[in-house]
Amino acid sequence: MKIRKAVFPVAGLGTRVLPATKAMPKEMLTIVDKPLIQYVYDEAKEAGIEHFIFVTGRNKGVIEDHFDRMFELDTTLAARGNKKAEQDILARDQPAAGATSFTRQQAPLGLGHAVWCARDIVGDEPFAVVLPDELVLNTPGCLAQMIEAASKLGEKSNVLAVEAVPEDMTHQYGICGVGKRTGKMFEVDGMVEKPAKGTAPSNLSITGRYILQPEIFKILETQERGAGGEIQLTDAMRALANTQKFYGLEFEGERHDCGSKPGFLRANIAYGMARADLRDGLRAEMKKYLEK
Ligand code: G1P
């Protein structure tokens, strides 16, 4: 199965990182020198995604601007004559014409509802869902690993990126039950969104990467509200698991939850340390703080 399209739900309010997100979308928060949304776009592009679908909301227009050409900036950089490196960065990050779509989730009804808003743009083919507040630092990226794993599975298979979390954090995530295992992959045996403490079927959390079959849309259309009063993707996936296979993949790489303040700070350090041009200076600065 070829995965050509990815859906990025970007309508969330980002309340965990206020006041940064009062007037700015959380997807534009910067890790080192790039907004979160650019990292997940790059990850999807590396994985072979050809069409990038953003489910936005009010106050998110700047995400669309970010993926547009900035005419004044391009012209000014070109006129200065010595800004070739900056021009190259802008060209590198620019999607091809027609490779992006933007639709709006008009009310904050949950992740399941956000994904459903993309149904007509996705159409009748398998697709990826990528949550921009989670970054995975690895080459190949998390989505590329998932697509590689999915290529070895039967038609109509669904794949979830999963990661073990401490038992006392399982209530914050969607959690998978574990069936038959083959290396880093396993058959998912039940899924529950934000299980009450002490009731999780395992400690394997569903992270922000999914490969789904289009039949999920039919289920989402009538999906009742679940945990937190929201239409949950996990609940719709549980229904789809009655007729299709779901697999969990324990991916390679370090996951960063950038939608929380500690996760955001840690990601800046991790991505800074991964950069050859910044590593030594950053290490020297951090050493000073650690010695204080
Ligand atoms: C969403 C999903 C949840 C998943 C999590 C990963 O929850 O509903 O299953 O584990 O993303 O970040 P949210 O973080 O939107 O509450």
Side-chain angles (χ1 to χ4, degrees), residues 86-216:
E86 289 78 0
Q87 283 180 286
D88 289 348
I89 288 170
L90 294 183
R92 177 197 70 191
D93 293 351
Q94 174 78 61
T100 53
S101 293
F102 296 83
T103 188
R104 277 197 185 199
Q105 185 185 26
Q106 295 151 328
L109 295 176
L111 178 60
H113 180 258
V115 171
W116 181 73
C117 289
R119 65 198 178 282
D120 281 347
I121 309 175
V122 171
D124 189 23
E125 58 181 282
F127 64 103
V129 175
V130 182
L131 305 189
D133 46 10
E134 297 217 20
L135 295 187
V136 177
L137 182 53
N138 200 68
T139 310
C142 184
L143 193 60
Q145 295 175 47
M146 292 171 76
I147 289 179
E148 163 69 17
S151 71
K152 298 185 182 119
L153 299 170
E155 287 280 305
K156 298 293 171 196
S157 297
N158 300 267
V159 182
L160 311 176
V162 304
E163 188 190 58
V165 293
E167 304 285 347
D168 62 352
M169 285 175 65
T170 52
H171 66 286
Q172 297 178 16
Y173 296 101
I175 302 289
C176 294
V178 182
K180 194 169 144 240
R181 226 181 216 290
T182 325
K184 290 193 163 296
M185 291 271 277
F186 59 89
E187 289 182 23
V188 170
D189 179 15
M191 289 166 254
V192 47
E193 182 65 19
K194 308 208 168 75
K197 282 193 181 168
T199 67
S202 77
N203 70 341
L204 290 176
S205 71
I206 302 172
T207 69
R209 306 285 185 275
Y210 310 74
I211 291 174
L212 296 172
Q213 297 297 325
E215 287 75 14
I216 195 79

Side-chain angles (χ1 to χ4, degrees), residues 250-265:
E250 290 192 78
F251 56 86
E252 299 281 336
E254 205 179 39
R255 167 201 195 181
H256 298 276
D257 176 8
C258 305
S260 76
K261 288 176 193 178
F264 172 72
L265 289 171

